[in-house]
Coordinates of all heavy atoms in Angstrom, one line a residue:
M17 N -15.8 -8.8 22.9 CA -17.0 -8.3 23.4 C -17.3 -8.9 24.8 O -17.1 -10.1 25.0 CB -18.1 -8.7 22.4 CG -19.5 -8.3 22.8 SD -20.9 -9.0 21.8 CE -20.4 -8.5 20.2
K18 N -17.8 -8.0 25.6 CA -18.2 -8.4 27.0 C -19.7 -8.2 27.2 O -20.3 -7.2 26.7 CB -17.5 -7.6 28.0 CG -16.0 -7.9 28.1 CD -15.4 -7.1 29.2 CE -13.9 -7.3 29.2 NZ -13.2 -6.5 30.2
K19 N -20.3 -9.2 27.9 CA -21.8 -9.1 28.2 C -22.0 -9.5 29.6 O -21.3 -10.4 30.1 CB -22.6 -9.9 27.2 CG -22.7 -9.3 25.8 CD -23.7 -10.0 25.0 CE -24.0 -9.2 23.8 NZ -25.4 -8.9 23.6
T20 N -23.1 -9.0 30.2 CA -23.5 -9.4 31.5 C -24.8 -10.1 31.5 O -25.7 -9.6 30.8 CB -23.5 -8.2 32.5 OG1 -22.2 -7.6 32.5 CG2 -23.9 -8.6 33.9
Y21 N -25.0 -11.2 32.2 CA -26.2 -12.0 32.2 C -26.7 -12.2 33.6 O -25.9 -12.3 34.6 CB -26.0 -13.3 31.6 CG -25.5 -13.2 30.1 CD1 -24.2 -13.2 29.8 CD2 -26.5 -13.1 29.1 CE1 -23.8 -13.1 28.5 CE2 -26.1 -13.0 27.8 CZ -24.7 -13.0 27.5 OH -24.3 -12.9 26.2
K22 N -28.0 -12.2 33.8 CA -28.6 -12.5 35.1 C -28.6 -14.0 35.3 O -28.9 -14.7 34.3 CB -30.0 -11.9 35.2 CG -30.7 -12.1 36.5 CD -32.1 -11.6 36.5 CE -32.9 -11.7 37.8 NZ -32.7 -12.9 38.5
I23 N -28.3 -14.4 36.5 CA -28.3 -15.9 36.8 C -29.1 -16.1 38.0 O -29.3 -15.2 38.8 CB -26.8 -16.4 36.9 CG1 -26.1 -15.7 38.1 CG2 -26.0 -16.2 35.7 CD1 -24.9 -16.4 38.5
E24 N -29.4 -17.4 38.2 CA -30.0 -17.9 39.5 C -29.2 -19.1 39.9 O -29.0 -20.0 39.1 CB -31.5 -18.3 39.3 CG -32.4 -17.2 39.1 CD -33.9 -17.6 39.1 OE1 -34.2 -18.8 39.4 OE2 -34.7 -16.7 38.8
V25 N -28.6 -18.9 41.0 CA -27.7 -20.0 41.6 C -27.9 -20.0 43.1 O -28.1 -18.9 43.7 CB -26.3 -19.8 41.1 CG1 -25.7 -18.5 41.6 CG2 -25.4 -21.0 41.5
D26 N -27.9 -21.2 43.7 CA -28.2 -21.3 45.1 C -27.1 -21.0 46.1 O -27.4 -20.7 47.3 CB -28.8 -22.7 45.4 CG -30.1 -22.9 44.7 OD1 -30.8 -22.0 44.4 OD2 -30.3 -24.1 44.4
C27 N -25.8 -21.2 45.7 CA -24.8 -21.0 46.7 C -23.5 -20.6 46.0 O -23.4 -20.7 44.8 CB -24.5 -22.3 47.5 SG -23.8 -23.6 46.4
A28 N -22.5 -20.1 46.8 CA -21.3 -19.6 46.2 C -20.5 -20.7 45.6 O -19.8 -20.5 44.6 CB -20.5 -18.9 47.3
N29 N -20.5 -21.9 46.1 CA -19.8 -23.0 45.6 C -20.4 -23.3 44.2 O -19.6 -23.6 43.2 CB -19.9 -24.2 46.5 CG -19.0 -25.3 46.0 OD1 -17.9 -25.1 45.6 ND2 -19.6 -26.5 46.0
C30 N -21.7 -23.3 44.0 CA -22.3 -23.5 42.8 C -21.9 -22.5 41.7 O -21.7 -22.7 40.6 CB -23.8 -23.5 42.9 SG -24.4 -24.8 44.0
A31 N -21.8 -21.2 42.2 CA -21.4 -20.1 41.3 C -20.0 -20.3 40.8 O -19.7 -20.1 39.6 CB -21.5 -18.8 42.1
N32 N -19.1 -20.8 41.7 CA -17.7 -21.2 41.3 C -17.7 -22.3 40.2 O -16.9 -22.2 39.3 CB -16.9 -21.5 42.5 CG -16.5 -20.4 43.3 OD1 -16.5 -19.2 42.9 ND2 -16.3 -20.6 44.6
K33 N -18.5 -23.3 40.4 CA -18.6 -24.3 39.4 C -19.1 -23.8 38.1 O -18.6 -24.2 37.0 CB -19.6 -25.5 39.9 CG -19.0 -26.3 41.1 CD -20.0 -27.3 41.5 CE -19.6 -28.1 42.7 NZ -20.6 -29.1 43.1
M34 N -20.1 -22.9 38.1 CA -20.6 -22.4 36.9 C -19.5 -21.5 36.2 O -19.4 -21.6 35.0 CB -21.8 -21.5 37.2 CG -23.1 -22.3 37.5 SD -24.5 -21.2 38.0 CE -24.8 -20.3 36.4
E35 N -18.8 -20.8 37.0 CA -17.7 -20.0 36.4 C -16.7 -20.8 35.7 O -16.3 -20.5 34.6 CB -17.1 -19.1 37.5 CG -16.0 -18.2 37.0 CD -15.4 -17.3 38.1 OE1 -16.2 -16.6 38.7 OE2 -14.2 -17.4 38.3
D36 N -16.3 -21.9 36.4 CA -15.3 -22.8 35.8 C -15.8 -23.4 34.5 O -15.1 -23.5 33.5 CB -14.9 -23.9 36.8 CG -14.1 -23.4 37.9 OD1 -13.5 -22.3 37.8 OD2 -14.0 -24.1 38.9
A37 N -17.1 -23.9 34.5 CA -17.7 -24.5 33.3 C -17.7 -23.4 32.2 O -17.5 -23.8 31.0 CB -19.1 -25.0 33.6
A38 N -18.1 -22.2 32.5 CA -18.2 -21.2 31.4 C -16.8 -20.9 30.8 O -16.7 -20.8 29.6 CB -18.8 -19.9 32.0
K39 N -15.8 -20.8 31.7 CA -14.4 -20.6 31.2 C -13.9 -21.6 30.2 O -13.1 -21.4 29.4 CB -13.5 -20.4 32.3 CG -13.6 -19.1 33.1 CD -12.6 -19.1 34.2 CE -12.7 -17.8 35.0 NZ -11.7 -17.7 36.1
K40 N -14.4 -22.9 30.4 CA -13.9 -24.0 29.6 C -14.7 -24.1 28.3 O -14.4 -24.9 27.4 CB -14.1 -25.3 30.4 CG -13.1 -25.3 31.5 CD -13.3 -26.6 32.3 CE -12.4 -26.6 33.6 NZ -12.7 -27.7 34.5
T41 N -15.8 -23.3 28.1 CA -16.6 -23.4 26.9 C -15.9 -22.7 25.7 O -15.4 -21.6 25.8 CB -18.0 -22.7 27.2 OG1 -18.6 -23.3 28.3 CG2 -18.9 -22.8 26.0
P42 N -15.9 -23.4 24.6 CA -15.3 -22.8 23.4 C -16.0 -21.5 23.0 O -17.2 -21.4 23.1 CB -15.5 -23.8 22.3 CG -15.7 -25.1 23.0 CD -16.3 -24.7 24.3
G43 N -15.2 -20.4 22.7 CA -15.7 -19.1 22.4 C -15.7 -18.1 23.5 O -16.0 -17.0 23.3
V44 N -15.4 -18.7 24.7 CA -15.4 -17.8 25.9 C -13.9 -17.5 26.2 O -13.1 -18.4 26.4 CB -16.0 -18.5 27.1 CG1 -15.8 -17.6 28.4 CG2 -17.5 -18.7 26.9
K45 N -13.6 -16.2 26.2 CA -12.2 -15.7 26.5 C -12.0 -15.7 28.0 O -11.0 -16.1 28.6 CB -12.0 -14.3 25.9 CG -10.6 -13.8 26.0 CD -10.5 -12.6 25.2 CE -9.0 -12.1 25.2 NZ -8.9 -10.9 24.4
D46 N -13.1 -15.2 28.7 CA -13.0 -15.1 30.2 C -14.5 -15.1 30.7 O -15.4 -14.6 30.0 CB -12.2 -13.9 30.7 CG -11.9 -14.0 32.2 OD1 -11.8 -15.1 32.7 OD2 -11.7 -12.9 32.8
A47 N -14.7 -15.5 32.0 CA -16.0 -15.4 32.6 C -15.8 -15.3 34.1 O -14.9 -15.9 34.7 CB -16.8 -16.7 32.3
T48 N -16.7 -14.5 34.7 CA -16.8 -14.4 36.1 C -18.2 -14.5 36.6 O -19.1 -14.0 35.9 CB -16.2 -13.1 36.7 OG1 -16.8 -12.0 36.1 CG2 -14.7 -13.0 36.4
V49 N -18.4 -15.2 37.7 CA -19.8 -15.3 38.3 C -19.7 -14.6 39.7 O -18.9 -15.0 40.5 CB -20.3 -16.7 38.4 CG1 -21.6 -16.8 39.1 CG2 -20.4 -17.3 37.0
N50 N -20.6 -13.7 39.9 CA -20.7 -13.0 41.2 C -22.0 -13.5 41.9 O -23.1 -13.2 41.5 CB -20.8 -11.5 41.0 CG -20.7 -10.8 42.3 OD1 -21.4 -11.2 43.3 ND2 -19.9 -9.8 42.4
F51 N -21.8 -14.3 42.9 CA -22.9 -14.9 43.7 C -23.8 -13.8 44.4 O -25.0 -13.9 44.4 CB -22.4 -15.9 44.7 CG -23.5 -16.5 45.6 CD1 -24.5 -17.2 45.1 CD2 -23.5 -16.2 46.9 CE1 -25.6 -17.7 45.9 CE2 -24.5 -16.7 47.8 CZ -25.5 -17.4 47.2
M52 N -23.1 -12.8 44.9 CA -23.8 -11.7 45.6 C -24.7 -10.9 44.7 O -25.8 -10.6 45.1 CB -22.8 -10.8 46.3 CG -21.9 -11.5 47.3 SD -22.9 -12.2 48.7 CE -23.5 -10.8 49.5
T53 N -24.3 -10.6 43.5 CA -25.2 -9.8 42.6 C -26.0 -10.7 41.6 O -26.8 -10.2 40.9 CB -24.3 -8.9 41.7 OG1 -23.4 -9.6 40.9 CG2 -23.6 -7.9 42.6
L54 N -25.7 -12.0 41.6 CA -26.4 -13.0 40.7 C -26.2 -12.6 39.3 O -27.1 -12.5 38.5 CB -27.8 -13.2 41.1 CG -28.1 -13.8 42.5 CD1 -29.6 -13.8 42.7 CD2 -27.5 -15.2 42.6
K55 N -24.9 -12.3 38.9 CA -24.6 -11.9 37.5 C -23.4 -12.7 37.0 O -22.5 -13.1 37.8 CB -24.3 -10.4 37.5 CG -25.5 -9.6 37.8 CD -25.4 -8.2 37.3 CE -26.5 -7.4 37.8 NZ -27.6 -7.1 37.0
M56 N -23.4 -13.0 35.7 CA -22.3 -13.6 35.1 C -21.8 -12.7 34.0 O -22.6 -12.2 33.2 CB -22.8 -14.9 34.4 CG -21.7 -15.6 33.6 SD -22.2 -17.1 32.7 CE -22.1 -18.3 34.0
N57 N -20.5 -12.4 34.1 CA -19.9 -11.5 33.1 C -19.1 -12.4 32.2 O -18.3 -13.2 32.6 CB -18.9 -10.5 33.7 CG -19.7 -9.5 34.6 OD1 -20.6 -8.9 34.2 ND2 -19.3 -9.4 35.9
V58 N -19.3 -12.3 30.9 CA -18.6 -13.2 29.9 C -18.0 -12.3 28.8 O -18.6 -11.4 28.3 CB -19.7 -14.1 29.2 CG1 -18.9 -15.0 28.2 CG2 -20.4 -14.9 30.2
E59 N -16.7 -12.6 28.6 CA -16.0 -12.0 27.5 C -15.8 -13.0 26.4 O -15.3 -14.1 26.7 CB -14.6 -11.5 28.0 CG -13.8 -10.8 26.9 CD -12.5 -10.2 27.4 OE1 -12.2 -10.3 28.6 OE2 -11.8 -9.7 26.5
F60 N -16.3 -12.7 25.2 CA -16.3 -13.6 24.1 C -15.0 -13.5 23.2 O -14.5 -12.3 23.1 CB -17.5 -13.4 23.3 CG -18.8 -13.7 24.0 CD1 -19.5 -12.6 24.6 CD2 -19.3 -15.0 24.2 CE1 -20.7 -12.8 25.3 CE2 -20.5 -15.2 24.9 CZ -21.1 -14.1 25.5
E61 N -14.6 -14.6 22.7 CA -13.5 -14.5 21.7 C -14.0 -13.9 20.4 O -15.1 -14.0 20.1 CB -12.9 -15.9 21.4 CG -12.3 -16.5 22.6 CD -11.8 -18.0 22.4 OE1 -12.1 -18.5 21.3 OE2 -11.1 -18.5 23.3
D62 N -13.1 -13.2 19.7 CA -13.4 -12.5 18.5 C -14.0 -13.6 17.5 O -13.5 -14.7 17.4 CB -12.2 -11.9 17.8 CG -11.8 -10.7 18.7 OD1 -12.6 -10.1 19.4 OD2 -10.6 -10.3 18.5
G63 N -15.0 -13.2 16.7 CA -15.6 -14.0 15.7 C -16.6 -15.0 16.2 O -17.1 -15.8 15.4
H64 N -17.0 -15.0 17.5 CA -18.0 -15.9 18.0 C -19.3 -15.1 18.3 O -19.2 -14.1 18.9 CB -17.5 -16.6 19.3 CG -16.4 -17.6 19.0 ND1 -15.1 -17.3 18.8 CD2 -16.5 -19.0 18.9 CE1 -14.4 -18.5 18.6 NE2 -15.3 -19.5 18.6
E65 N -20.4 -15.7 18.0 CA -21.7 -15.2 18.2 C -22.1 -15.4 19.7 O -22.2 -16.5 20.1 CB -22.7 -15.8 17.3 CG -24.1 -15.4 17.5 CD -24.3 -13.9 17.3 OE1 -23.7 -13.3 16.3 OE2 -25.1 -13.3 18.1
P66 N -22.3 -14.3 20.5 CA -22.6 -14.5 21.9 C -23.8 -15.4 22.2 O -23.7 -16.2 23.1 CB -22.9 -13.0 22.3 CG -22.0 -12.2 21.4 CD -22.1 -12.9 20.1
R67 N -24.8 -15.3 21.4 CA -26.0 -16.1 21.7 C -25.7 -17.6 21.6 O -26.1 -18.4 22.4 CB -27.1 -15.7 20.7 CG -28.4 -16.6 20.8 CD -29.2 -16.2 21.9 NE -30.4 -17.1 22.0 CZ -31.3 -17.0 22.9 NH1 -31.3 -16.0 23.8 NH2 -32.3 -17.8 23.0
T68 N -25.0 -18.0 20.5 CA -24.6 -19.4 20.3 C -23.7 -19.9 21.4 O -23.8 -21.0 21.9 CB -23.9 -19.5 18.9 OG1 -24.8 -19.0 17.9 CG2 -23.6 -21.0 18.6
V69 N -22.7 -19.0 21.7 CA -21.8 -19.4 22.8 C -22.5 -19.6 24.1 O -22.3 -20.5 24.9 CB -20.6 -18.4 22.9 CG1 -19.7 -18.7 24.1 CG2 -19.8 -18.4 21.7
M70 N -23.4 -18.7 24.4 CA -24.2 -18.8 25.7 C -25.1 -20.0 25.8 O -25.3 -20.5 26.8 CB -25.0 -17.5 25.9 CG -24.2 -16.3 26.3 SD -23.1 -16.6 27.8 CE -24.3 -16.9 29.0
E71 N -25.5 -20.5 24.6 CA -26.3 -21.7 24.6 C -25.4 -22.9 25.1 O -25.8 -23.7 25.9 CB -26.9 -22.0 23.3 CG -28.0 -21.1 22.9 CD -28.4 -21.2 21.4 OE1 -27.9 -22.1 20.7 OE2 -29.3 -20.5 21.0
Q72 N -24.1 -22.9 24.7 CA -23.2 -23.9 25.1 C -22.8 -23.7 26.6 O -22.6 -24.7 27.3 CB -22.0 -23.9 24.2 CG -22.3 -24.3 22.8 CD -22.9 -25.7 22.7 OE1 -22.5 -26.6 23.4 NE2 -24.0 -25.8 22.0
V73 N -22.6 -22.4 27.0 CA -22.3 -22.1 28.4 C -23.4 -22.7 29.3 O -23.1 -23.3 30.3 CB -22.1 -20.6 28.6 CG1 -22.1 -20.3 30.1 CG2 -20.8 -20.1 27.9
Y74 N -24.6 -22.4 28.9 CA -25.8 -22.9 29.7 C -25.8 -24.4 29.8 O -26.0 -24.9 30.9 CB -27.1 -22.4 29.0 CG -28.3 -22.8 29.8 CD1 -28.6 -22.2 31.0 CD2 -29.3 -23.7 29.2 CE1 -29.7 -22.6 31.7 CE2 -30.4 -24.0 30.0 CZ -30.6 -23.5 31.2 OH -31.7 -23.8 31.9
K75 N -25.5 -25.1 28.7 CA -25.5 -26.6 28.8 C -24.4 -27.0 29.7 O -24.5 -28.0 30.4 CB -25.3 -27.1 27.3 CG -26.5 -27.0 26.5 CD -26.3 -27.6 25.1 CE -27.4 -27.4 24.2 NZ -27.2 -27.8 22.8
S76 N -23.2 -26.4 29.6 CA -22.1 -26.8 30.4 C -22.4 -26.5 31.9 O -22.1 -27.4 32.8 CB -20.8 -26.0 30.0 OG -20.4 -26.3 28.7
C77 N -23.0 -25.4 32.2 CA -23.4 -25.1 33.6 C -24.4 -26.1 34.1 O -24.4 -26.5 35.3 CB -23.9 -23.7 33.7 SG -22.6 -22.4 33.5
K78 N -25.4 -26.5 33.3 CA -26.4 -27.4 33.7 C -25.8 -28.8 34.1 O -26.3 -29.5 34.9 CB -27.5 -27.6 32.6 CG -28.4 -26.4 32.5 CD -29.2 -26.2 33.8 CE -30.7 -26.3 33.6 NZ -31.4 -26.0 34.8
K79 N -24.7 -29.1 33.4 CA -24.1 -30.4 33.7 C -23.4 -30.4 35.1 O -23.4 -31.4 35.8 CB -23.0 -30.7 32.7 CG -23.5 -31.1 31.3 CD -22.4 -31.4 30.3 CE -22.9 -31.7 29.0 NZ -21.9 -31.8 28.0
V80 N -22.9 -29.3 35.5 CA -22.2 -29.2 36.8 C -23.2 -28.8 37.9 O -23.0 -29.1 39.1 CB -21.0 -28.3 36.8 CG1 -19.9 -28.9 35.9 CG2 -21.3 -26.9 36.5
E81 N -24.3 -28.0 37.6 CA -25.2 -27.6 38.6 C -26.6 -27.5 37.9 O -27.0 -26.5 37.3 CB -24.8 -26.2 39.1 CG -25.4 -25.8 40.4 CD -25.1 -26.8 41.5 OE1 -24.0 -27.2 41.7 OE2 -26.1 -27.2 42.1
D82 N -27.3 -28.6 38.0 CA -28.6 -28.8 37.2 C -29.7 -27.8 37.6 O -30.6 -27.7 36.8 CB -29.0 -30.2 37.2 CG -29.5 -30.7 38.6 OD1 -29.2 -30.0 39.6 OD2 -30.1 -31.8 38.7
D83 N -29.6 -27.2 38.7 CA -30.7 -26.3 39.1 C -30.4 -24.8 38.8 O -31.1 -23.9 39.2 CB -31.2 -26.5 40.5 CG -30.1 -26.2 41.5 OD1 -28.9 -26.1 41.2 OD2 -30.4 -26.1 42.7
C84 N -29.3 -24.5 38.1 CA -28.9 -23.1 37.8 C -29.7 -22.6 36.6 O -30.3 -23.4 35.8 CB -27.4 -23.0 37.5 SG -27.0 -23.7 35.9
E85 N -29.8 -21.3 36.5 CA -30.5 -20.7 35.4 C -29.6 -19.5 34.9 O -29.0 -18.8 35.7 CB -31.9 -20.1 35.8 CG -32.9 -21.2 36.0 CD -33.2 -22.1 34.8 OE1 -33.1 -21.6 33.7 OE2 -33.5 -23.2 35.0
I86 N -29.6 -19.3 33.6 CA -28.9 -18.1 33.0 C -29.9 -17.5 32.1 O -30.5 -18.2 31.2 CB -27.6 -18.5 32.2 CG1 -26.6 -19.3 33.1 CG2 -27.0 -17.3 31.6 CD1 -25.5 -19.9 32.4
F87 N -30.1 -16.2 32.2 CA -31.1 -15.5 31.3 C -30.3 -14.8 30.3 O -29.7 -13.8 30.6 CB -32.0 -14.6 32.2 CG -32.7 -15.4 33.3 CD1 -32.1 -15.5 34.6 CD2 -33.8 -16.1 33.0 CE1 -32.8 -16.2 35.6 CE2 -34.5 -16.8 34.0 CZ -33.9 -16.9 35.3
F88 N -30.5 -15.2 29.0 CA -29.8 -14.6 27.9 C -30.7 -14.4 26.7 O -31.8 -14.9 26.7 CB -28.5 -15.3 27.5 CG -28.7 -16.7 27.1 CD1 -28.9 -17.1 25.8 CD2 -28.7 -17.7 28.1 CE1 -29.0 -18.5 25.5 CE2 -28.8 -19.1 27.8 CZ -29.0 -19.4 26.5

């Protein structure tokens, strides 16, 4: 399953850090962050609840970029 989320991030480098953090989160098959559109596309592994996984993605992103926001 793939979903798109609105994000707030200040720079392209921060967006790259958020993308890397999301990709390393259990339950995420793939993730991309587009700084220009302020969107995060996430593909979830089968059998994982997107809401639960996104809570972990958000925590991971906050660790690398504490002023980021993900709206899910």
Side-chain angles (χ1 to χ4, degrees):
M17 174 188 308
K18 293 182 182 180
K19 288 190 166 237
T20 301
Y21 299 93
K22 183 180 181 318
I23 62 168
E24 286 185 10
V25 62
D26 296 332
C27 67
N29 186 45
C30 301
N32 286 335
K33 289 179 184 179
M34 288 176 63
E35 182 176 303
D36 290 340
K39 286 181 178 181
K40 294 176 184 173
T41 304
V44 174
K45 188 173 185 178
D46 193 28
T48 57
V49 173
N50 187 316
F51 174 67
M52 297 301 291
T53 62
L54 295 176
K55 296 199 187 259
M56 175 184 277
N57 297 307
V58 181
E59 184 176 356
F60 300 96
E61 293 176 353
D62 292 337
H64 287 83
E65 176 61 39
R67 175 80 183 182
T68 305
V69 173
M70 285 307 295
E71 288 172 2
Q72 294 305 313
V73 167
Y74 182 67
K75 288 179 184 177
S76 297
C77 288
K78 286 298 240 186
K79 287 180 185 173
V80 296
E81 199 55 51
D82 66 347
D83 62 347
C84 73
E85 290 296 331
I86 304 172
F87 302 96
F88 55 95

